[in-house]
Amino acid sequence: MPGIPREVAEHSLEIRASSKPVKQCLRRFDEEKRKIIGEEIHKLLTAGFIKEVHHHDWLANPVLDKKKNGKMRMCVDYSSLNKACSKVLFPLPRIDQIIDSTAGCETLSFLDVYSGYHQIKMKESNQLATSFITPFGMYCYVTMTFGLWNVGATYQRCMLNVFWEHIGSTVEAYVDHIVVKSKKQADLI
């Protein structure tokens, strides 16, 4: 997947210079969890969202979270890294105004972006800070991932850059939730 060009959006970490990197030791996982982690690593490598690393300053552990459908999802515990990063303030749209803006529209199309966060690349100099350790090796993200501070702001800024001429008239975007609206059903296409 080619993703979003770096000129449009790129996620960077604002790690304070005074912060000392934290290297977590590998946690123990039972065989079922090891299998889930291995499958997820394979998918992420195949998609080009992560790469193997050998040298790192930061090192986090994966954690498994049960989704609503009962399946397990692999996340990475970036709590130590996030504590070292500055928060970036970026205004998210008011949901009530987005909802109000759809009043009177005959047609609404809701878009679900496939691996949306992974379409935005990590700043190359920050990639190693996203390193994580698994029973199968150490990896880092080359694309933006959940769990890092400020990813919502980066994604919202990207949506505003991509849809700037349509926001408010035919498109509304709240982070990775996008609605295309039209006053007349025939105008949607």
Side-chain angles (χ1 to χ4, degrees), residues 6-25:
R6 288 188 190 276
E7 311 82 67
V8 175
E10 177 180 70
H11 187 67
S12 63
L13 302 172
E14 303 299 325
I15 302 172
R16 289 186 289 281
S18 61
S19 299
K20 291 186 178 180
V22 175
K23 293 182 182 181
Q24 297 178 6
C25 295

Side-chain angles (χ1 to χ4, degrees), residues 11-85:
H11 187 67
S12 63
L13 302 172
E14 303 299 325
I15 302 172
R16 289 186 289 281
S18 61
S19 299
K20 291 186 178 180
V22 175
K23 293 182 182 181
Q24 297 178 6
C25 295
L26 178 63
R27 293 181 187 149
R28 292 177 58 120
F29 298 101
D30 63 33
E31 201 52 44
E32 179 186 350
K33 290 179 180 175
R34 285 173 53 91
K35 182 180 177 199
I36 293 167
I37 291 169
E39 290 169 355
E40 186 65 16
I41 293 299
H42 177 73
K43 282 193 272 185
L44 292 168
L45 280 169
T46 302
F49 298 155
I50 63 172
K51 66 180 180 181
E52 188 174 14
V53 296
H54 303 285
H55 307 286
H56 48 75
D57 291 324
W58 294 88
L59 201 54
N61 266 286
V63 290
L64 294 174
D65 180 44
K66 190 175 276 192
K67 297 187 328 186
K68 289 179 185 177
N69 64 8
K71 289 188 175 185
M72 298 295 278
R73 164 183 34 211
M74 187 187 88
C75 306
V76 178
D77 177 10
Y78 286 123
S79 55
S80 298
L81 177 60
N82 287 337
K83 287 177 188 173
C85 292

Side-chain angles (χ1 to χ4, degrees), residues 56-126:
H56 48 75
D57 291 324
W58 294 88
L59 201 54
N61 266 286
V63 290
L64 294 174
D65 180 44
K66 190 175 276 192
K67 297 187 328 186
K68 289 179 185 177
N69 64 8
K71 289 188 175 185
M72 298 295 278
R73 164 183 34 211
M74 187 187 88
C75 306
V76 178
D77 177 10
Y78 286 123
S79 55
S80 298
L81 177 60
N82 287 337
K83 287 177 188 173
C85 292
S86 300
K87 270 281 208 195
V88 173
L89 298 177
F90 188 83
L92 294 178
R94 291 180 48 109
I95 293 178
D96 59 327
Q97 289 178 327
I98 290 175
I99 293 169
D100 290 348
S101 77
T102 63
C105 292
E106 286 185 5
T107 307
L108 301 174
S109 296
F110 298 91
L111 305 179
D112 185 11
V113 181
Y114 178 74
S115 295
Y117 276 31
H118 290 307
Q119 302 308 311
I120 298 174
K121 294 171 182 62
M122 284 293 301
K123 185 176 182 180
E124 289 185 15
S125 61
N126 290 156

